[in-house]
Amino acid sequence: MPPRLRLPIQPLLRSPVTFSLLPPPLLPCLIPSITHRHASILSSLSDNPLAYHKKIRRGRGPSSGKGKTSGRGHKGQKQHGKVPRGFQGGQTPLEIVHGTRGFVNVFSVDMQPLNLSRIQSWIDQGRIDPSHPITIKELSDSNCVGKIKDGVKLLADGAQELRTPINIIISRASKSAIAAVEKIGGSVMTRFYTPFAIQRILKGTTDPINSLRSERIMMEEEEEDENERYREDDGEDVDASRGTGSEALVGDAMATSEESTIASAVAAVQPRRFGFRHRLPDPTSRKDIEYYRDPIHRGYLSHLVTEGQTPSLFFKIPSAGKGVVGKRAAAKKALEENRIW
């Protein structure tokens, strides 16, 4: 409680001139009606009405609603004591008599469904920008999907309502949803996510699109390898053909300018690839690899499937080259040509 000023109030209040000349901060301290304050407000503090629940007092009379038998009913084991969970009165439990049926599918995944009509509704409300790629981070930040556990699957419910071309990167997509998106000029790409990777993507510490086996990253690595070989070849040529004196200085200046240009180009690429704390993982199980290698699913690993191959890692198409029979026939023909008689 703030201290109160003990000033001669009566002489000051008699003169209107003196009262008008008082500074405003002192007026609440001089007027007796305003200076009266409560000593404490702790006795009136209270939480929100629905923030707590009053404890149920059992066995305190029938007027409370939980008196007499305290809500347990009359007699019996449940009224006098406790019953173990699953207790069936002493008989042999049914799950022991008949056994358990069925199994738990360890390969099942919990995918969050996402319909095309919901995406169009979010675009109309301005909650999703269709001019940028739509990833699981944009879907989660805009509350278009709820809690994501193993990924998000795109479904074709409300495909007739979709009228905005979108570029969406998602865990899985149905064939009808892919056809509906590509029909209006959009694109769908499915890529692999783990639960931990999804958590890091939502926190902004992992790239939601590119990984080490993505097509763009592999192309950039190939370009960097080619540039490295090109620089090594140029370095050997320069060392062999460089002269002495002014020619050597000019060559060093050109090499330095070229290295600075390459360094600036690499610095421009690095933030896109290494601007995140964690790397996005790629699939390791055969089932996931085959799914994302399939062009029908618009998998991000479909660029690894060459012409004449299938996404399967087990069933392989026979090579187009000559087989054992063809090699034997060619060897026999060459032997016949070399005969003298």
Side-chain angles (χ1 to χ4, degrees), residues 194-216:
T194 62
F196 288 111
I198 292 174
Q199 296 178 8
R200 293 169 178 173
I201 288 172
L202 300 183
K203 293 179 182 178
T205 59
T206 301
D207 188 357
I209 301 177
N210 298 305
S211 61
L212 294 181
R213 300 188 68 184
S214 298
E215 185 176 7
R216 185 174 69 84

Side-chain angles (χ1 to χ4, degrees), residues 84-205:
R85 186 183 64 176
F87 185 70
Q88 300 178 6
Q91 71 173 8
T92 305
L94 296 178
E95 59 268 14
I96 295 178
V97 175
H98 300 286
T100 57
R101 297 185 180 182
F103 66 99
V104 178
N105 186 5
V106 297
F107 298 104
S108 63
V109 289
D110 186 4
M111 289 287 173
Q112 185 75 13
L114 176 62
N115 294 314
L116 296 176
S117 58
R118 188 173 180 85
I119 295 179
Q120 185 61 50
S121 176
W122 255 241
I123 293 175
D124 296 339
Q125 298 176 27
R127 303 171 68 173
I128 292 180
D129 187 6
S131 61
H132 298 284
I134 301 174
T135 64
I136 59 176
K137 180 170 177 56
E138 283 74 18
L139 296 174
S140 179
D141 293 344
S142 62
N143 202 22
C144 189
V145 294
K147 184 178 180 181
I148 304 175
K149 186 176 180 181
D150 293 326
V152 181
K153 183 172 183 179
L154 186 64
L155 303 178
D157 190 10
Q160 65 278 4
E161 302 177 11
L162 184 66
R163 57 184 181 278
T164 305
I166 58 175
N167 179 17
I168 186 169
I169 296 93
I170 210 163
S171 301
R172 294 185 181 182
S174 63
K175 294 182 180 180
S176 54
I178 294 174
V181 172
E182 295 179 348
K183 182 179 179 180
I184 60 175
S187 63
V188 178
M189 184 177 74
T190 58
R191 71 146 297 118
F192 174 75
Y193 296 109
T194 62
F196 288 111
I198 292 174
Q199 296 178 8
R200 293 169 178 173
I201 288 172
L202 300 183
K203 293 179 182 178
T205 59

Side-chain angles (χ1 to χ4, degrees), residues 251-271:
D252 292 340
M254 293 177 62
T256 304
S257 62
E258 184 178 356
E259 290 178 358
S260 63
T261 304
I262 294 173
S264 62
V266 172
V269 174
Q270 280 183 353

Side-chain angles (χ1 to χ4, degrees), residues 286 289-290 293-294 305 309-316:
R286 172 188 155 193
I289 293 175
E290 291 180 351
R293 276 170 54 96
D294 196 349
V305 182
Q309 292 184 353
T310 62
S312 176
L313 300 178
F314 184 78
F315 299 99
K316 295 184 178 180

